[in-house]
Amino acid sequence: MYAEWASLQTAIQTDPGNTSVLNIFPQTVGKDVACAVVKSMSQALSIGVNSNNADNTNRLMSEKDVKWTMEVICYGLSLPLEEHEALRDCVNIYCEWLTALNPQPKSSVPAVLLQEPNDYIQLMFKHLYNVFIPRPKSGIDLVKRQALLCHRVLRHVQLLATESMRNLSRGSWEAMLKFLLAITDTLMAPPKEKDDIGDQIGERVINVLFELWLLSCAHCFPIPSLWKTFRAMSLNWRHHDALVSQWHRINTILTSQLLKDRFGTDYPELQVSDEDGAILPTSMTQDQVIQSWFRFLHIISNPVDLSNIQIISQTPKFLHMALTSEVVIDPAQHNCLRSLPQIFFKAMKSVSILVDAFLGVSQNTVKDDMSFLSSMASSTSMSVRSSMPSINSGGSTPPERRKAKAFSVSGKHKLVHSRSSVSARSDSFSSENLTPYHLTLDSLPVLAAKRPKCNSILHMFGAWLFDGALLGVKVHGEDDMGTSRVRSSSFVDGQDRSQSVITSSSHISANKNSANEAGRAEACGALCRIFCAKKTDESILPVYLARFYIALYHALDVSENQSGPALASVLFNSIDLLRLDLDGVLVLVPRLLDAMEVVLSDTSPKIRYHDQIPLIELRKSAIHLLLSMLCLPLHFKSLTIKDIVKSQDDTTQEPVTVISLRVRITELLLKALLVEVDPMNTQMLLGGLTLLVQDLSVFEEMEKAALSNQDPLADTTTYSVTQPAGLDKDRADSEASVKMTQSESPRSAVSVGSTSSGPDLTTEPETHHQIKARDTAHGLFGQAASVVSNRLMASWKLDLNIALAAIEVILGLSKVKLNPHNSLMCKRTIKWMCDFIVYQCSRPAPSHSKDLHSMIVAAFHCLMSWLVDHHYLLQDKECLHTVLEVVELGISGSKSQNRASDPPKFKAEKDLMPASERVKHAAEAVLDIIIDHVGMFPPPCGPESTCSLLDEDTLLKMPAGYIVPEQQPAKFRYFVLENAIIIGILEKSVNSEDTLPSLTALIRGPFGRHAWSMQLRHLAKSHQNSLTVVNKDPGRPVPDDNIGVHHNITHRHFPEVVDAIPKTKSESSIPSLGQVIDENNLRQEHDKILSFIGAQVDFENKMAAKHKTDREKSPFPNPKVDCKAPSLCDEFQTARLFLSHYGFLTLEALKEPTTASLPPSLVMLNSGNESLSSDLDALDRIPTRSNDTAFVFYVKTKQTAAHSIINNVTSSANVQPQFLAFVQSLGWPIDVHRHAGWTGHMTSSWRTTQEDTPEPYAAGTGGSIYDGRRQVLYWADVSTEIAFVIPSPYMYHLTPQVIPSARPSVDDKLSQIPPPKPPRLADTNAGKSQKPTKSLSLDLPQVPRVETTAPSTPPIDVSSMRKKSSTLPLSPDIKIMIVWLEAWEDHSKFPVDDLLYLTITGQEAATSKLTEKDVHIIFIHSLKSGLYRVHMKGQSGRASLAIPLVDGMVVSERSLGTLVRQTVINICKRRRLESDQYQPPHVKRKHKIQNIVSKYRRKLSEPDFFTALLKPPT
């Protein structure tokens, strides 16, 4: 820079201007003359004792007199310190005469001097040099007196420059600067000794030199020769920390002004204190500031030279000391050089601060904490003392002698550090009692949008930073002195030499000095911050990337030569390294993985890291990097990673591929999760674990689908595993899993050679099958579930945030699709969750709190998801018993059997004492899920509704021929059971052909609305036409007169053998009839009777003959006497029968309970009240599931206006194809008018309407079709439904603007990722014929017409919407936005407040303001590699860090939509748990039912109730 200019160093050092004519005389003569003259003149000074003697004021009348007197004073200034009074008088005289250029000079100034002041002042500067000459062998008291005189001279020189700057000529300015250079070189060039004059005033001298030089730049810019001299002489002072301190101070002041001039006042300001700000002249022009800043920046040459004692000690003064000293032989052995590591650190820290200033860190993150630099210097000093014992770095300026500030720890410079808030103000680093300043990642700064490009900053500071980062790294062929590699002072001085970087074939060995590791770590950190500040479309020169990768490669060394501070600084400052599109950054992945294994494998490090980076923050940085590389192996697969320092002769190492690192990454994640103790770090790791399992399962599913499309036989061979039919076949699952694992292609980890040497993360040797199991989703699923569940029960059950995150991971695992199911692990997971609930409920009463109950509620919700998604688990008796036991515990507060041997305790015997109402409600929801939805979700109507879509109007119109006449409308009769269930009974059947007792019931309860059709039957319905078969006439037999042969047979009472038996006398004891007649003269009566009998016989025979004749003539059968069945009854009181048969209609149920506020168990409602139907409709509109809404926006590069952002989605040409693929992966499209679930707004949700003239769907949109007018994207499970809305200008009659697209066309093939499809009906309904009510396909009907104007949809009235929403159930007070960014930097300027008006759902409270909403934003940026960077932004709360997405995570395309959806749902769930006013849906419905009962109840006595029941409805 000054190669063509001559240096004035020799001229200044050999200038004889400070020599007096009295020096040629003996010393006693000169001393006597000087003392006598000076003593006489001092009496005439304005500060003298006899200043009232006006006659002696101006005795020097001629130029000759003045010059003679100045010769005497010049000699007097060189007197020994023992002549202190004479020396003091000489200083006082010159200090008075220096006011000659002032507007009001002192009265003691000679008139001759006032005529030509500049000439005399230039001569005085040369004479005053003698005051600063060290006097060897002087006592400490005399040295202190000399220091006071020097301070007085410097103060008057400063006053001269500041008060008389306009009167000073260029010669005077140059003379003053030469004077300051001369005295500074005299005091600072020699090795520092304690208590010498240089030690006393050295800091003040350098301070005055820098301040006046800066002042000269504004009024008389120094010539290049002076700048070159300043720089050359500064190289001799670099063993003083004061030089670096003042260098940093002036650089900070100039940089602050430079940023204002170059980037404007809105650029983040590098704040300086008012005292330091006053140093910069206000009259400096922008060009002067630029020129001064550049020259001051390079005034000490390359700061990295401060780390090399050999360079610093090779100055003439050090060599002279070595030659003359009897103690020191080598100049590098002087004690003052022991402080070089500390000085080196200060210099690198100063460069780091300047780098941060140019990066433009947001000023809002500044913390006024000034202890950082002091603590760092203190730690560096301790490091030096530990590595170099018996160090005496020389004295420092006593506090009472410090007049100026430099690197003050108590000042007020403020600079936003790129990783923390750092002060640029400085006094000294000597404070050792300050609390160390710890850097954190909690408040990551936002870089300025207008910041310079990385290449520009590297052009300025890159050479220094690269040299500092590679400090101690010796290139092959370099000698121990390091002279083979020529270092440049800046990119400007050595831009040609910078091209010769360390090549990949160079052999590099480590030769590190632990004393300089703090400075090296600062250089590495600054480099990482520069490269991580790369913008989206910015490119960095390959030469810089190469040097950067080499520097990081050696900084991340984990061998015996590792550098703890450098490694920690790199990890801490490069968390965004893998989130940027840096060319070739994958070469660092193995090295980063080695370093992360060292940091994350153990919480008790064996090496010393950075003192200002806590281990927790360092682990958090490593976790950030780990989250950035989770998706790399499956994304890049077999891509080879080259070793950048591999020797050409080394051919033993196998090539490393990205896929070979997957097992190491998985092991590291699981190991870190086992040892991590910090809650925030643990939650981040849990999010990464979810991503790992989800991504692997989807990857295997896509691989299976691709394999099936290519070769069906291969698919059946590899994946021919069928799901076992129950938990009794867990063994079959395990065997099938092993078979599937063995059939997959091997993907074992490949050794990375020297770069893969990391700590062994396993405590026990693992078998091949254990390692292989991690390579499949089936095995990883089991390990993840086991690790998380065990850690949850062992360590995390007392921490709310970690427990919620762990439960979210377990819930996410329930959604993972595996084939075959890992049923054994699923059963164990259910058991673990139940044990967790039991433990939390069993804790003592003082431990019960809102947080504890929130964990229990979250566990119950997780249990719901597992039971629905794995319904086969309830086929296991043990699993079912465990779940129901926990549900009983949640509802009642105790179990029926604590042990299997205990007798069961029945419900009536237990007191209802749940842990809390929230826990009870959650357990009730699980019980309803088990009864209503397990194995039956989604229902026949699809996942859009968990209950029946039929209502009263629909039921009356269902059969075609069953429309009730207007004059006799069918009426529903409404009853309420247990004050919780409303039953609407229609005493008709939905089938007009049914003649059995039938009714149709609409059952409205806390968990939804259900429609039932019932019949009273005596035979099974499986018998076809059973009623007809029973009542049908079977027919009569055909008449036949042929009765066959008639045989006349005499019937006997006894067998014939009886007649052969002789009679006995006793048999004759009873007389015969004849004997009796004869003995009693009864013959006449007997004959009469016989005649009667004969007549009767004749009559009967006659009638029999007649009857026979008539019967032969009559038809058969005879209709007159035919027996017929009675006619069937067609009028039934089915409502009475239903209530009676089900046990609801009892006298006890109609009695008023003892509690006056409760109604009886059975209540009849006033069905004739017209407002009842509206209240029932309001009840139906209370959902049975929680509902959420997320709003999706697309932001083009540098867009900040709301109208431009929402206009992007009007055309597919305005958005990236990846955005459309992502949108389709969030959910399936539904028609708002025909959708029975949540649509994103209250006005159209939970009802179906028919459009008068449905318009065809628009084609070619960029997502505006899902703005909520016609369609939205929808997703639902058994407990949650969510709508994704993409706002468009059509929603509010905004005219879409024409935005030119940089892309000529949109790729027709958006992505290979299949969009999510609605869940299929449960397996139990697979064999039944179901008529779908709605089309749930993702394929939109395409029409040729493109909608270009807004349809005639009335705009949404926000005020009326709020007024109406006050009576509706409130959702969590939260807004969720999903923002797709083309340029990553635009996330800091996203207009949240301007877009909030588009996020109205109708559920907002009437008193809430949109600007006060808790807004959570998920920013997504598509990287060139095909991966996606995620940034989470939202207000922090006690339970706000929902997973699986974590800030900074890098996600693959196949998992992005699923993870975003899960994160949105989890955020809303956590907000509901945190809210004190939130009520579950079934509780809201129960309260609404109770309100209906209180309004429409008919208070009837028992007789009146039965009377009303027997009467037909009115």
Side-chain angles (χ1 to χ4, degrees), residues 1351-1372:
S1352 58
T1353 303
I1356 299 176
D1357 187 358
V1358 179
S1359 60
S1360 63
M1361 195 181 307
R1362 289 184 177 178
K1363 189 179 299 183
K1364 184 177 181 180
S1365 66
S1366 61
T1367 61
L1368 296 174
L1370 300 179
S1371 63

Side-chain angles (χ1 to χ4, degrees), residues 1266-1306:
Y1266 306 123
D1267 58 4
R1269 296 175 302 122
R1270 293 287 305 281
Q1271 286 189 335
V1272 294
L1273 292 167
Y1274 178 81
W1275 186 91
D1277 62 6
V1278 73
S1279 61
T1280 303
E1281 52 181 345
I1282 182 171
F1284 296 92
V1285 182
I1286 305 178
S1288 70
Y1290 302 131
M1291 297 173 62
Y1292 293 89
H1293 287 284
L1294 302 178
T1295 303
Q1297 299 178 358
V1298 178
I1299 301 179
S1301 174
R1303 290 174 291 275
S1305 62
V1306 179

Side-chain angles (χ1 to χ4, degrees), residues 416-463:
V416 182
H417 193 273
S418 65
R419 291 294 176 265
S420 61
S421 303
V422 183
S423 169
R425 182 81 170 125
S426 58
D427 256 346
S428 169
F429 284 96
S430 61
S431 176
E432 297 184 1
N433 296 324
L434 294 174
T435 303
Y437 185 88
H438 287 167
L439 306 176
T440 63
L441 289 174
D442 293 336
S443 56
L444 289 177
V446 178
L447 304 180
K450 299 191 300 183
R451 63 182 180 273
K453 292 185 177 181
C454 297
N455 285 335
S456 300
I457 300 178
L458 291 172
H459 289 341
M460 192 59 58
F461 304 103

Side-chain angles (χ1 to χ4, degrees), residues 192-329:
K192 183 167 58 175
E193 298 292 344
K194 186 176 182 180
D195 295 333
D196 64 354
I197 186 62
D199 185 33
Q200 294 289 327
I201 65 170
E203 185 176 343
R204 176 70 189 283
V205 170
I206 291 182
N207 180 37
V208 174
L209 170 64
F210 275 81
E211 289 185 4
L212 295 188
W213 200 286
L214 180 61
L215 186 64
S216 174
C217 292
H219 300 282
C220 183
F221 200 85
I223 59 177
S225 294
L226 276 177
W227 280 106
K228 185 173 184 178
T229 304
F230 187 11
R231 180 179 179 182
M233 299 181 76
S234 297
L235 301 181
N236 299 327
W237 313 335
R238 291 184 293 182
H239 57 286
H240 292 272
D241 58 355
L243 173 66
V244 176
S245 299
Q246 287 302 321
W247 174 69
H248 163 75
R249 183 189 181 206
I250 298 301
N251 285 336
T252 303
I253 297 171
L254 289 172
T255 304
S256 178
Q257 185 62 37
L258 178 66
L259 294 177
K260 296 178 183 178
D261 296 340
R262 300 295 294 177
F263 300 104
T265 57
D266 59 339
Y267 197 78
E269 181 183 2
L270 175 60
Q271 296 183 357
V272 296
S273 65
D274 296 338
E275 179 185 356
D276 287 344
I279 298 176
L280 185 68
T282 57
S283 60
M284 287 191 71
T285 62
Q286 293 188 14
D287 186 62
Q288 290 175 338
V289 171
I290 295 174
Q291 294 295 329
S292 302
W293 174 83
F294 187 81
R295 285 165 168 76
F296 270 110
L297 183 65
H298 297 85
I299 208 68
I300 65 171
S301 188
N302 191 345
V304 184
D305 291 340
L306 294 170
S307 63
N308 195 331
I309 296 180
Q310 300 298 332
I311 295 178
I312 302 301
S313 62
Q314 298 302 313
T315 61
K317 295 293 184 179
F318 272 90
L319 295 175
H320 180 267
M321 177 271 304
L323 293 175
T324 57
S325 175
E326 298 179 357
V327 179
V328 180
I329 300 177

Side-chain angles (χ1 to χ4, degrees), residues 19 135 141 167 178 450 620 649 739 779 807 904 1258 1327 1412:
T19 304
R135 273 69 165 179
D141 294 336
N167 297 327
K178 292 178 182 179
K450 299 191 300 183
K620 184 182 295 183
D649 300 333
K739 291 180 181 179
I807 292 173
E1412 297 175 357

Side-chain angles (χ1 to χ4, degrees), residues 401-663:
R401 300 300 185 202
R402 297 176 186 170
K403 301 299 181 181
K405 304 287 185 180
F407 253 179
S408 171
V409 295
S410 60
K412 298 180 180 179
H413 281 292
K414 293 182 180 179
L415 171 68
V416 182
H417 193 273
S418 65
R419 291 294 176 265
S420 61
S421 303
V422 183
S423 169
R425 182 81 170 125
S426 58
D427 256 346
S428 169
F429 284 96
S430 61
S431 176
E432 297 184 1
N433 296 324
L434 294 174
T435 303
Y437 185 88
H438 287 167
L439 306 176
T440 63
L441 289 174
D442 293 336
S443 56
L444 289 177
V446 178
L447 304 180
K450 299 191 300 183
R451 63 182 180 273
K453 292 185 177 181
C454 297
N455 285 335
S456 300
I457 300 178
L458 291 172
H459 289 341
M460 192 59 58
F461 304 103
W464 298 343
L465 295 176
F466 285 127
D467 286 346
L470 291 171
L471 182 64
V473 177
K474 186 173 69 173
V475 184
H476 179 68
E478 200 178 53
D479 57 9
D480 294 338
M481 296 293 293
T483 56
S484 298
R485 179 155 51 102
V486 180
R487 286 197 297 255
S488 58
S489 61
S490 69
F491 184 83
V492 177
D493 288 345
Q495 55 185 352
D496 295 333
R497 292 191 299 268
S498 66
Q499 300 297 327
S500 63
V501 298
I502 305 173
T503 61
S504 59
S505 60
S506 300
H507 176 70
I508 301 179
S509 61
N511 185 16
K512 301 180 178 63
N513 185 358
S514 60
N516 292 318
E517 287 305 315
R520 182 192 176 200
E522 198 63 41
C524 292
L527 280 176
C528 292
R529 293 194 294 274
I530 293 175
F531 281 86
C532 289
K534 173 186 173 296
K535 296 182 181 179
T536 301
D537 297 328
E538 183 181 352
S539 60
I540 301 178
L541 294 177
V543 62
Y544 287 143
L545 287 173
R547 299 195 69 181
F548 176 63
Y549 294 158
I550 292 173
L552 261 61
Y553 181 90
H554 293 285
L556 295 171
D557 185 14
V558 295
S559 62
E560 64 278 2
N561 297 317
Q562 64 180 337
S563 169
L567 183 145
S569 182
V570 169
L571 293 180
F572 187 81
N573 291 283
S574 61
I575 61 174
D576 293 334
L577 189 63
L578 300 178
R579 304 168 184 167
L580 305 171
D581 290 317
L582 290 176
D583 296 336
V585 73
L586 289 180
V587 298
L588 294 177
V589 171
R591 204 68 165 182
L592 286 169
L593 191 56
D594 293 340
M596 290 187 296
E597 288 174 345
V598 173
V599 174
L600 295 177
S601 61
D602 192 1
T603 56
S604 301
K606 299 178 178 59
I607 62 174
R608 182 178 181 181
Y609 296 119
H610 205 288
D611 291 335
Q612 272 61 52
I613 302 178
L615 182 60
I616 290 178
E617 296 299 320
L618 181 59
R619 291 176 62 85
K620 184 182 295 183
S621 305
I623 292 171
H624 272 285
L625 286 168
L626 181 61
L627 296 180
S628 302
M629 63 174 62
L630 291 178
C631 295
L632 296 181
L634 295 181
H635 184 74
F636 291 102
K637 298 181 181 178
S638 57
L639 180 67
T640 303
I641 300 177
K642 296 183 179 180
D643 193 346
I644 57 177
V645 296
K646 183 178 180 181
S647 175
Q648 295 179 353
D649 300 333
D650 188 4
T651 59
T652 59
Q653 295 184 0
E654 298 181 3
V656 180
T657 59
V658 184
I659 192 66
S660 66
L661 303 177
R662 191 168 71 84
V663 174

